[in-house]
Amino acid sequence: MTARMSSPSSTPVRQSSVRAHNLALVLNTVANRANPPSRAAVAAATGLTRATVSALVDDLIEGGLLIELDPPPRTGAGRPAAGLALTSAGPAGLGLEINVDYLAACVVDLTGAVRQRFIEHADQRPAAAADALAALGGLAARARLAAEADGLVVAGATLAVPGLVSAGVVRVAPNLGWQDVAAPALLREVPELAGLPVTVDNEANLAALGELRVAGGEQTFLYVSGEIGIGAGLVIDGELYRGARGWSGEIGHLTVDPDGKPCRCGATGCLEQYAGQEALAADEPGAAAALGIALSTVVNLLDVPVIVLGGAYAPYFERLRDGIEAELRRRVLTAGLAPVTLRAARLGADAAVRGAADTVIRGVRDDPAGWLRRAG
């Protein structure tokens, strides 16, 4: 008896799914081009027919995602083609960040440009989670109203927090004293944010994603976020590595001195006690060496070629560089064969809040059909 084989082609594909896929394909083709492509160029790049591309482009223009630019002056025979570009007057992402000593909000449009930015410096450790989030909600409301006055439509918000996040809940944020905080639900209690899609993620992960967008050809790197605590985001081949439960990157709790200072997490000798923002501000000796020891461990384990220092580390980069590189040369097994590149974050201290806003924008780019349904 001949076994009956099922074929993938026997599964019907909904026309709406094909359209959604093609809308995203066209939009991202335009978004990823250095120069505005014509409709014909998009058709050539995607393999879609010109008629299909033209219809999809019309939908994207009508939905406020693309604009068609005036063609350049004629320089020869034939009519120059008009180029396509992302609009700067459509959907926008609201990025929010709560950290130990500040609150931040920013709005990024579809092109990736920052349109609004607000920051308030205040120690959040004495505040209850609900009170801190209410204060952040007020900042978020100001940012959203300012963005809408500027002609933008906020598509959603993402919150960056210095802690472990799972299923939309901040499971633990030791430096804030939080445990099992449903942050998005609390933020939606702010009237100006009611009904807005809100997600939450670890601040170092979001900072790494923000840095990835401006990192040029770098697709594999370790982003280290130096604040009161220290977190890390690992990007491999252009994708964020989260770990089995989404909790990877807690580099601040690598042990650099087993018999050392007590940490807020309950252990002793954690990196953040020697190289966190407070240690840097006090100009304590050994911060660079402690960082170098921890980073050497990561490089030996994961073979990352690039380390990016962000957050509060960015302005201290030149002060830290020599000490870190000395430890990397001493401790990384392959240092003589393939030295690790160490650099400061291009987004500086804004990387997490920018990365948070970018996740909203990426969601629109990856699912323009969903945005068109909402906007309609």
Side-chain angles (χ1 to χ4, degrees):
M1 179 181 293
T2 302
R4 185 174 181 177
M5 304 294 291
S6 61
S7 169
S9 62
S10 66
T11 304
V13 177
R14 294 182 182 274
Q15 187 63 33
S16 59
S17 299
V18 174
R19 178 176 178 274
H21 169 82
N22 289 340
L23 281 167
L25 179 62
V26 169
L27 185 62
N28 280 296
T29 298
V30 174
N32 293 328
R33 288 297 183 96
N35 298 309
S38 65
R39 297 184 186 218
V42 172
T46 60
L48 300 172
T49 67
R50 291 195 181 192
T52 297
V53 167
S54 187
L56 294 170
V57 165
D58 287 342
D59 288 344
L60 292 168
I61 291 173
E62 184 180 352
L65 298 176
L66 288 182
I67 56 172
E68 200 152 29
L69 306 173
D70 292 334
R74 181 181 297 184
T75 58
R79 186 176 65 182
L84 298 166
L86 298 173
T87 181
S88 61
L94 175 59
L96 306 173
E97 183 181 4
I98 185 165
N99 222 303
V100 174
D101 55 350
Y102 66 89
L103 305 173
C106 81
V107 176
V108 172
D109 67 25
L110 197 61
T111 71
V114 176
R115 301 289 289 273
Q116 303 291 335
R117 179 181 179 274
F118 298 87
I119 188 164
E120 290 183 356
H121 293 278
D123 192 345
Q124 302 302 314
R125 284 170 287 194
D131 294 335
L133 287 165
L136 180 60
L139 204 64
R142 288 171 56 193
R144 183 180 187 182
L145 292 173
E148 290 175 348
D150 198 20
L152 299 170
V153 180
V154 174
T158 297
L159 169 64
V161 295
L164 302 180
V165 178
S166 173
V169 175
V170 182
R171 297 299 180 187
V172 60
N175 291 314
L176 289 173
W178 290 13
Q179 189 162 356
D180 295 330
V181 175
L186 290 170
L187 279 173
R188 282 192 292 266
E189 292 180 5
V190 177
E192 291 86 352
L193 302 182
L196 192 70
V198 180
T199 59
V200 60
D201 202 347
N202 174 267
E203 57 92 18
N205 285 342
L206 292 171
L209 290 173
E211 192 69 16
L212 176 65
R213 187 179 62 79
V214 298
E218 287 176 359
Q219 294 289 297
T220 300
F221 59 88
L222 180 75
Y223 180 95
V224 184
S225 178
E227 304 292 348
I228 301 296
I230 304 172
L234 178 61
V235 175
I236 301 175
D237 294 334
E239 299 291 334
L240 182 69
Y241 177 75
R242 293 181 176 275
R245 291 173 291 274
W247 297 342
S248 69
E250 290 299 318
I251 192 174
H253 299 286
L254 285 182
T255 301
V256 295
D257 182 357
D259 299 316
K261 302 175 184 178
C263 181
R264 296 177 186 89
C265 72
T268 57
C270 292
L271 173 64
E272 68 180 41
Q273 297 304 310
Y274 297 87
Q277 181 177 314
E278 292 173 330
L280 293 181
D283 201 17
E284 293 186 11
L291 264 172
I293 292 169
L295 293 173
S296 298
T297 300
V298 175
V299 174
N300 280 329
L301 181 64
L302 299 177
D303 188 28
V304 289
V306 178
I307 296 171
V308 180
L309 297 186
Y313 287 148
Y316 289 99
F317 179 75
E318 292 303 327
R319 196 177 97 186
L320 295 169
R321 182 176 197 163
D322 288 347
I324 294 173
E325 289 184 338
E327 294 297 336
L328 291 172
R329 287 192 298 271
R330 180 191 306 176
R331 298 174 184 276
V332 173
L333 182 63
T334 57
L337 300 172
V340 177
T341 298
L342 183 70
R343 68 168 178 84
R346 294 186 173 96
L347 292 179
D350 285 343
V353 72
R354 286 277 302 274
D358 282 344
T359 61
V360 178
I361 292 307
R362 277 201 307 276
V364 174
R365 289 185 186 179
D366 291 343
D367 183 23
W371 167 255
L372 295 178
R373 285 193 300 271
R374 287 174 54 193

